Amino acid sequence: NSIDNNLTMSSFHPKGETVDIVGTNTNTLGRTCEIHSTCGVVIRLDTVLRLRSIEIRPGENAIAVYWVTDGIDRCRVGFLRRHYVPNTEYYDGALVQVVEIYSPDDESTIGRKTFHRNMGYCVGAIIAPGLKCSRKRECFESVNEKNDVNKNLIIIDQMDFDSPHL
């Protein structure tokens, strides 16, 4: 007899602070690469993204959003709205998890209009604070408190309790 460890991760969406990601359906300002004609196509629910402060034109800064896979920043998929820029120190380097995606086929009229007005739109929950956050520990604790981490449990589906190895 052997132990059958069928482990599954229960799905949950963070409930912490969220950010608005715009421009996910356009390919200007570096949102294209040799693989994707529009890099925002990679965004799905639960996708992890990193926020980075960049200068898009001389004297004009923005917070760009990059798709992260295997811990590496890949494609630029969008930007945070402009009103986040004054708080760049808090957001620069932060990781977010996509919790909501608006589409041109959205059931809601507001969802469809939001998608078109912003040339692509999704919402991400902060799962790790920015690298330069002056209150990094406080920021991290605050985000984790809001996330209700207890929902992210590993559940053992089946186990052979008659196994002599227990």
Side-chain angles (χ1 to χ4, degrees):
N1 291 332
S2 65
I3 298 175
D4 184 14
N5 289 331
N6 291 329
L7 300 177
T8 60
M9 182 69 86
S10 64
S11 178
F12 91 105
H13 296 288
K15 296 180 182 173
E17 180 184 350
T18 60
V19 292
D20 304 314
I21 302 166
V22 298
T24 59
N25 198 42
T26 187
N27 59 9
T28 59
L29 295 172
R31 289 170 282 190
T32 187
C33 69
E34 60 277 352
I35 299 169
H36 312 106
S37 59
T38 302
C39 291
V41 300
V42 300
I43 297 175
R44 303 282 184 268
L45 281 179
D46 297 327
T47 299
V48 175
L49 307 170
R50 185 180 318 278
L51 310 179
R52 289 281 183 210
S53 175
I54 63 165
E55 185 175 67
I56 54 175
R57 291 181 192 90
E60 186 178 354
N61 293 330
I63 300 173
V65 180
Y66 293 88
W67 174 43
V68 177
T69 58
D70 299 325
I72 299 170
D73 295 1
R74 302 286 179 176
C75 305
R76 183 183 303 167
V77 296
F79 291 91
L80 292 191
R81 289 179 182 252
R82 292 180 194 268
H83 70 270
Y84 292 102
V85 174
N87 297 310
T88 297
E89 183 177 288
Y90 177 74
Y91 295 108
D92 189 27
L95 290 174
V96 301
Q97 180 179 346
V98 176
V99 295
E100 189 173 2
I101 301 172
Y102 290 53
S103 75
D105 305 324
D106 209 292
E107 292 177 12
S108 158
T109 304
I110 294 172
R112 288 191 304 272
K113 286 182 179 180
T114 301
F115 173 86
H116 289 296
R117 183 179 333 109
N118 293 290
M119 293 183 275
Y121 182 89
C122 67
V123 177
I126 295 178
I127 57 175
L131 300 172
K132 297 177 184 174
C133 184
S134 60
R135 303 179 322 267
K136 187 172 184 174
R137 184 178 181 92
E138 292 172 27
C139 294
F140 185 72
E141 289 170 358
S142 171
V143 169
N144 277 339
E145 252 176 47
K146 293 177 185 176
N147 284 346
D148 191 13
V149 180
N150 293 329
K151 289 187 178 180
N152 192 10
L153 300 174
I154 296 177
I155 300 168
I156 298 176
D157 286 337
Q158 292 181 332
M159 189 174 230
D160 183 4
F161 289 100
D162 295 331
S163 172
H165 302 293
L166 287 178

